[in-house]
Amino acid sequence: MAFVRINGVLLHYRLSGRPGGPALALANSLGTDLRIWDAVVERLAPHYRILGYDKRGHGLSDAPRAEYRLDDHLDDLAGLLDHVGWGRTALAGVSIGGLIAQGMALRAPGRIAALVLCDTAPRVGDAAMWNGRIAAVLSGGTAAIADAVMERWFSPAFRRERADELAGWRNLFLRSDAVGYASTCATLRDTDLTEAIGGIATPTLVVAGEHDGATPVAMVRAGAERIPGARFTVLPGAGHIPSIEQPAALATLIDGFLKEVGGA
């Protein structure tokens, strides 16, 4: 395990893969940690140097007791890239990790060689939805919403046929820091990049899980259509976190895209 303090916040991160290989950073979703990428990392590690991290409020990173802004997440990631000595990297993110990736491409386009945006959008939900989620978690912990979240995260087939894995990911969610989770919900509540992402010039691949219940295919497609030249694909058999349900297919998409656009 590796840790570094960025902007006063302790971040947990992991470098893996081929030393000297093309740089690829991975940003995780709400209520998870860097382990959601493990099966993708395993497949890409022979060729890429890969940085995964737990964003603030998640995993083994600090969970400051204040609502987080998108800029907080961008500052954290920029500082982490500086710490590992990466001036330029491909960046893949899922859910809020994808929102962070969009923000990084807008703030520091020279640092991002390519974008892979999974099951995300420039605007997710509305203030009423996120305020309700925040209130539920602060009063009852993540257990108060766990069942509903599992339904949004995973496809019906996964929930039906892979019960032990579902239980394990549910355990991860239940152990999420309630304040860190709620503070990250505030990021999603307060961020709307709908108009801004037309300015993204980075080569971009947008992936939607066929059965995503959190950011449905139509929402993800609408975001992709606002990014000039972005490619859009639907990943069959996947829900909101394709790196868990369809890691081989996602790794193939990422690898092919990065090699084609020069991010690898």
Side-chain angles (χ1 to χ4, degrees):
M1 293 188 292
F3 298 89
V4 63
R5 196 168 296 279
I6 304 291
N7 305 313
V9 176
L10 189 71
L11 296 180
H12 170 234
Y13 71 96
R14 180 177 63 196
L15 276 171
S16 58
R18 181 167 70 87
L24 171 61
L26 305 172
N28 61 292
S29 57
L30 178 65
T32 68
D33 61 28
L34 58 77
R35 288 174 290 182
I36 66 168
W37 292 103
D38 281 356
V40 170
V41 170
E42 179 182 357
R43 290 164 170 83
L44 296 180
H47 182 67
Y48 295 87
R49 188 62 168 164
I50 303 171
L51 172 66
Y53 73 108
D54 297 340
K55 64 184 170 293
R56 62 169 59 204
H58 290 72
L60 300 181
S61 294
D62 279 351
R65 268 39 188 170
E67 292 186 343
Y68 312 150
R69 304 165 301 142
L70 179 62
D71 279 341
D72 295 326
H73 293 289
L74 300 182
D75 291 344
D76 291 345
L77 179 53
L80 184 56
L81 294 176
D82 290 342
H83 173 72
V84 300
W86 287 7
R88 187 168 168 83
T89 182
L91 177 58
V94 59
S95 188
I96 189 174
L99 191 63
I100 292 168
Q102 293 169 69
M104 281 297 293
L106 289 166
R107 177 197 278 195
R111 301 198 73 168
I112 308 301
L115 280 179
V116 179
L117 306 176
C118 301
D119 297 270
T120 190
R123 171 68 169 164
V124 180
D126 58 26
M129 185 196 85
W130 290 117
N131 285 334
R133 184 93 60 96
I134 289 167
V137 169
L138 291 181
S139 63
T142 54
I145 61 171
D147 290 340
V149 167
M150 294 304 106
E151 289 187 10
R152 290 191 293 268
W153 277 8
F154 297 113
S155 69
F158 184 94
R159 300 197 309 271
R160 183 175 62 250
E161 299 167 9
R162 296 165 67 177
D164 287 347
E165 292 176 70
L166 176 66
W169 292 113
R170 188 177 188 275
N171 282 345
L172 180 143
F173 181 74
L174 289 172
R175 293 168 189 172
S176 297
D177 183 274
V179 172
Y181 182 92
S183 298
T184 308
C185 288
T187 307
L188 288 156
R189 180 195 65 199
D190 297 339
T191 300
D192 185 353
L193 300 180
T194 303
E195 299 303 323
I197 59 171
I200 292 178
T202 305
T204 302
L205 170 67
V206 182
V207 179
E210 177 187 16
H211 302 292
D212 188 345
T215 50
V217 170
M219 179 190 295
V220 180
R221 180 187 287 112
E225 290 173 349
R226 288 183 170 271
I227 299 174
R231 302 182 191 182
F232 174 76
T233 187
V234 176
L235 196 56
H240 186 56
I241 311 178
S243 58
I244 294 175
E245 290 199 62
Q246 300 292 337
L250 182 59
T252 297
L253 285 172
I254 292 172
D255 184 46
F257 177 70
L258 295 184
K259 286 177 176 175
E260 182 178 344
V261 303

